[in-house]
Amino acid sequence: MQINARRLVDRSAVITGGASGIGLASARRMAAEGARVVIADVDAVAGEQVAAELGGLFVKVDVTDPEQVKDLYAQTQEAYGSVDIAFNNAGIAPPDDASILDTDIDAWRRVQDVNLTSVYLCCKHAIPYMQQQGKGSIINTASFVAVMGAATSQISYSASKGGVLSMSRELGVEFARQGIRVNALCPGPVNTPLLKELFAKDLEKAARRLVHVPLGRFAEPEELAAAVAFLASDDSSFMTASTFLVDGGISGAYVTPF
Ligand SMILES: NC(=O)c1ccc[n+]([C@@H]2O[C@H](COP(=O)([O-])OP(=O)(O)OC[C@H]3O[C@@H](n4cnc5c(N)ncnc54)[C@H](O)[C@@H]3O)[C@@H](O)[C@H]2O)c1
């Protein structure tokens, strides 16, 4: 994909889960648009590689750890002098999170920690820098499952994404007059390792989901990255507290084409 826009020059962008999938594609896209990127991930091998490729900074962080998250933004401020964009995107969808009847409390809590508590921590520690600057854009990755129900359930995942969506809306409202925008990105199914892990063992499940996508395919990570760059940039200056669906039409469909 040829990128001509340079909307993020001189801005720093912290990307959690930046070593893979949507985070990786978004890091590449934001760097191509001029941003200084910080790759924040538990995966040090892939994370270092991505940071080197993009001339950015890698910070090894477990997004469930309050001190590590606090330190992530302090390191960004120190390295680049600002925290302009926070893409809070790290997430997991483990196979032991399924129907409520089969999901034990440990699986429930792990998913809540990584997918929801992490977003609380990232926003909590990024916002003070943005308040000082009087400007900032936060993008939190929720999911289309935050607005729709599935019979092939991942109960903690869906609940965590509902929490991300609702938290983003509230933060968007609270901080709007301080120049800080907060939007929830709600992807449909995207062709990433996370999706593959979920469906690798169950092709029937994958086919069952594809039926509901009007565009008839899963998204590519670069298609989400384009949306992230838009939300990060001033092109979306009148958008905050939004439910930004990039879902191939799923949420609008009642009956899909053959
Ligand atoms: N792929 C999809 O179909 C899809 C659909 C809707 C929403 N999402 C959401 O998009 C986000 C990114 O998903 P993806 O498909 O790119 O996943 P992915 O598995 O490709 O990448 C996730 C990244 O997060 C990192 N990560 C996991 N736990 C972490 C932790 N505790 N601390 C720091 N980093 C951690 C991983 O190391 C990995 O690099 C997730 O929040 C996911 O729930 C994905």
Side-chain angles (χ1 to χ4, degrees), residues 16-24 40-44 46-47 59-65 68 87-93 113-115 118-119 140-145 157 160-161 164 185-199 218-219 221 224:
T16 71
S20 175
I22 297 169
L24 168 60
D41 208 292
V42 273
D43 183 342
V59 179
K60 185 174 184 335
V61 55
D62 178 344
V63 288
T64 66
D65 184 309
Q68 290 184 30
F87 181 30
N88 303 320
N89 164 75
I92 54 171
D113 271 0
V114 178
N115 290 8
S118 68
V119 176
N140 294 327
T141 305
S143 168
F144 73 105
V145 302
Y157 183 90
S160 74
K161 295 302 186 181
V164 170
L185 176 76
C186 297
V190 187
N191 197 7
T192 69
L194 179 138
L195 189 85
K196 283 174 197 150
E197 180 186 319
L198 192 64
F199 293 142
F218 296 141
L224 274 299

Side-chain angles (χ1 to χ4, degrees), residues 132-191:
Q132 280 169 26
Q133 298 157 193
K135 197 172 188 325
S137 175
I138 296 179
I139 302 128
N140 294 327
T141 305
S143 168
F144 73 105
V145 302
V147 299
M148 304 185 75
T152 49
S153 183
Q154 299 166 269
I155 193 63
S156 186
Y157 183 90
S158 292
S160 74
K161 295 302 186 181
V164 170
L165 178 59
S166 144
M167 179 165 34
S168 305
R169 189 185 299 129
E170 189 136 306
L171 294 175
V173 173
E174 181 178 355
F175 294 101
R177 304 226 176 157
Q178 298 181 47
I180 302 168
R181 299 186 295 108
V182 186
N183 291 292
L185 176 76
C186 297
V190 187
N191 197 7

Side-chain angles (χ1 to χ4, degrees), residues 13-244:
V14 182
I15 301 137
T16 71
S20 175
I22 297 169
L24 168 60
S26 300
R28 285 184 172 143
R29 173 69 188 238
M30 290 199 271
E33 293 215 28
R36 296 176 292 240
V37 294
V38 179
I39 307 299
D41 208 292
V42 273
D43 183 342
V45 175
E48 292 278 15
Q49 257 173 28
V50 176
E53 173 195 322
L54 302 177
L57 180 71
F58 172 68
V59 179
K60 185 174 184 335
V61 55
D62 178 344
V63 288
T64 66
D65 184 309
E67 284 309 311
Q68 290 184 30
V69 171
K70 191 173 174 192
D71 196 47
L72 166 67
Y73 297 101
Q75 283 194 52
T76 303
Q77 175 73 26
E78 195 173 313
Y80 295 139
S82 63
V83 178
D84 302 298
I85 299 154
F87 181 30
N88 303 320
N89 164 75
I92 54 171
D96 55 352
D97 175 26
S99 162
I100 195 168
L101 302 176
D102 307 319
T103 303
D104 68 26
I105 192 72
D106 291 338
W108 166 272
R109 284 191 177 131
R110 192 166 75 257
V111 172
Q112 293 296 315
D113 271 0
V114 178
N115 290 8
L116 177 58
T117 308
S118 68
V119 176
Y120 151 78
L121 289 172
C122 288
C123 291
K124 184 177 177 64
H125 294 297
I127 285 172
Y129 294 102
M130 295 178 172
Q131 283 180 305
Q132 280 169 26
Q133 298 157 193
K135 197 172 188 325
S137 175
I138 296 179
I139 302 128
N140 294 327
T141 305
S143 168
F144 73 105
V145 302
V147 299
M148 304 185 75
T152 49
S153 183
Q154 299 166 269
I155 193 63
S156 186
Y157 183 90
S158 292
S160 74
K161 295 302 186 181
V164 170
L165 178 59
S166 144
M167 179 165 34
S168 305
R169 189 185 299 129
E170 189 136 306
L171 294 175
V173 173
E174 181 178 355
F175 294 101
R177 304 226 176 157
Q178 298 181 47
I180 302 168
R181 299 186 295 108
V182 186
N183 291 292
L185 176 76
C186 297
V190 187
N191 197 7
T192 69
L194 179 138
L195 189 85
K196 283 174 197 150
E197 180 186 319
L198 192 64
F199 293 142
K201 298 173 209 93
D202 200 338
L203 292 176
E204 195 195 318
K205 249 190 192 174
R208 197 167 165 201
R209 293 200 180 204
L210 214 42
V211 162
H212 299 284
V213 188
L215 285 180
R217 62 177 175 84
F218 296 141
E220 291 306 317
E222 291 73 21
E223 295 177 289
L224 274 299
V228 172
F230 166 71
L231 290 172
S233 79
D234 295 344
D235 276 354
S236 58
S237 53
F238 202 57
M239 288 187 63
T240 197
S242 80
T243 303
F244 198 82

